[in-house]
Amino acid sequence: YLHHKYALVDHAAPGSDPQVIVGSHNWSYNAETQNDENTLIIHSAGIVDQFHQEWNARWTTAVGLEENTSRTERLILHPNPAKDWIAITGLSMRSDKVDIKVLDLSGRVVIAMIRSSGDLGIQLDDLAAGTYVVNASAGKDRWEGRFIRLP
């Protein structure tokens, strides 16, 4: 019943020429070599934001988790997707201790730790392949992000 095909490029960085790539193109060998496909690249932070809101609504419906809230800042997680470890950057806080929880998509805490502020890393050796949510908190400061663990 739903067949969306689009890619969002730099939706969270309006100063970097955010783009939507959309069209009938299936991004496959046949689409490249045999089919009569179309691709439209839109350079507009406003349009990218509209597509991101649509994506977030579909994600929330499918998974039941909101991507972000007004009182929670976004975590910067990299590399993403990740295999062995993931780094967390961009934490700005008034406390030097950070409570970090990694949750699977059912909401179960699979990793919990307390670390010092700054750049942090998380080993992923014990996690199965899949999508995970990272929640970090320090006092009243809150952050959230998602990452994909590769097999």
Side-chain angles (χ1 to χ4, degrees):
Y1 298 118
L2 179 66
H3 187 75
H4 283 343
K5 292 184 289 193
Y6 57 90
L8 304 178
V9 179
D10 291 340
H11 84 275
S16 68
D17 186 29
Q19 301 168 29
V20 176
I21 303 170
V22 64
S24 67
H25 199 274
N26 281 312
W27 303 343
S28 66
Y29 177 79
N30 283 344
E32 288 289 325
T33 60
Q34 298 175 5
N35 298 349
D36 185 16
E37 303 286 353
N38 67 69
T39 301
L40 180 62
I41 301 173
I42 303 168
H43 298 261
S44 167
I47 300 294
V48 171
D49 183 56
Q50 291 177 9
F51 271 82
H52 182 257
Q53 289 178 48
E54 172 64 16
W55 176 86
N56 194 41
R58 300 295 67 79
W59 174 266
T60 302
T61 300
V63 178
L65 295 173
E66 297 226 3
E67 181 173 305
N68 205 351
T69 66
S70 59
R71 64 181 182 274
T72 303
E73 295 181 40
R74 168 174 276 162
L75 279 177
I76 301 168
L77 304 170
H78 56 89
N80 193 2
K83 187 155 179 74
D84 302 320
W85 63 273
I86 195 147
I88 302 173
T89 58
L91 295 174
S92 58
M93 67 196 79
R94 292 174 283 279
S95 172
D96 64 344
K97 297 291 182 191
V98 183
D99 181 23
I100 299 172
K101 290 184 175 68
V102 178
L103 297 86
D104 63 18
L105 289 182
S106 70
R108 183 176 58 102
V109 176
V110 294
I111 297 175
M113 62 183 73
I114 296 177
R115 295 278 177 88
S116 296
S117 63
D119 292 349
L120 308 169
I122 302 173
Q123 284 297 125
L124 305 177
D125 299 333
D126 296 330
L127 294 183
T131 302
Y132 292 88
V133 176
V134 178
N135 288 328
S137 62
K140 293 182 179 182
D141 297 321
R142 303 274 183 270
W143 301 267
E144 182 179 286
R146 285 196 176 93
F147 72 92
I148 296 172
R149 166 67 154 91
L150 297 172

